[in-house]
Amino acid sequence: MLKGDLTRFSPGDLLTFLSHLNQDGVLTVSGEGQSLNIYFQKGNLVTAHSDQADGKVLGWLRASGRISAEQFLDLDQARRETGLPLIQLLADSGTIDLETDGALLETGIREVIFQLFTWGTGDFQFNEVALDDSSGGQIYDCTGLALDAARQVDEYQEFLRNISSEDLVVF
């Protein structure tokens, strides 16, 4: 088990370090009143979830018409009651095919990584556990995801710095 504080171990360094461990396990990060989980198999990132990211992915599915309003409500209720990752609920219900809907899975993973990078503070813990192959065989490059997230967070923070009260229009 590895644990620590994000103020002493940056998210990018943490993800890169864990990928080099070449182990199966779950990184759980708690902060900002929330938690997120990132799953590794043999050092590769295979999936990730948080309540916020799962909610956004579920909303995207509904907005795109890929699921009905009834499916949306059922999945949202199951997600809240069980705490299971949305991707697992979708796969178990046959709503999506992980083989063909890899872009959906990657969107959720990128949202979780972005969320991790924006927190800045929080506690993390990596536990070695054997994982089933719930990723549909997809693996993701931790370093690439970390670099993309760092760039996106920099752009987001620059955007926030550039917004002034004069830029806001009140209707």
Side-chain angles (χ1 to χ4, degrees):
M1 176 173 33
L2 171 70
K3 62 183 180 175
D5 184 346
L6 285 178
T7 59
R8 296 185 178 174
F9 212 124
S10 75
D13 291 341
L14 179 59
L15 291 176
T16 301
F17 176 74
L18 291 174
S19 72
H20 291 301
L21 286 179
N22 200 33
Q23 295 181 353
D24 291 0
V26 178
L27 171 66
T28 301
V29 183
S30 300
E32 304 288 321
Q34 303 175 49
S35 68
L36 56 86
N37 295 295
I38 301 171
Y39 300 82
F40 293 84
Q41 276 185 330
K42 298 180 182 151
N44 296 307
L45 194 153
V46 291
T47 194
H49 85 93
S50 71
D51 189 50
Q52 178 179 329
D54 285 357
K56 285 184 178 184
V57 169
L58 191 57
W60 295 327
L61 286 170
R62 178 65 191 120
S64 69
R66 299 218 20 225
I67 61 173
S68 67
E70 184 179 327
Q71 287 173 308
F72 174 85
L73 293 173
D74 290 345
L75 287 165
D76 190 46
Q77 181 178 359
R79 182 176 66 88
R80 284 184 283 112
E81 289 178 358
T82 65
L84 291 172
L86 177 63
I87 201 71
Q88 182 178 345
L89 294 170
L90 291 168
D92 290 350
S93 68
T95 306
I96 66 165
D97 178 10
L98 294 177
E99 299 274 330
T100 59
D101 291 322
L104 173 68
L105 179 60
E106 186 172 340
T107 299
I109 290 170
R110 287 183 179 279
E111 182 65 29
V112 171
I113 302 300
F114 181 82
Q115 184 180 0
L116 172 64
F117 272 70
T118 58
W119 282 357
T121 62
D123 297 314
F124 68 85
Q125 182 171 319
F126 180 78
N127 291 308
E128 292 179 48
V129 294
L131 301 173
D132 63 354
D133 190 19
S134 62
S135 68
Q138 297 283 345
I139 59 170
Y140 301 92
D141 174 36
C142 284
T143 304
L145 288 171
L147 289 173
D148 283 348
R151 178 189 50 78
Q152 290 171 343
V153 168
D154 285 346
E155 290 172 358
Y156 174 70
Q157 290 172 340
E158 182 68 24
F159 172 76
L160 292 177
R161 278 191 296 274
N162 288 331
I163 293 178
S164 68
S165 61
E166 295 172 10
D167 294 333
L168 298 176
V169 177
V170 178
F171 293 98

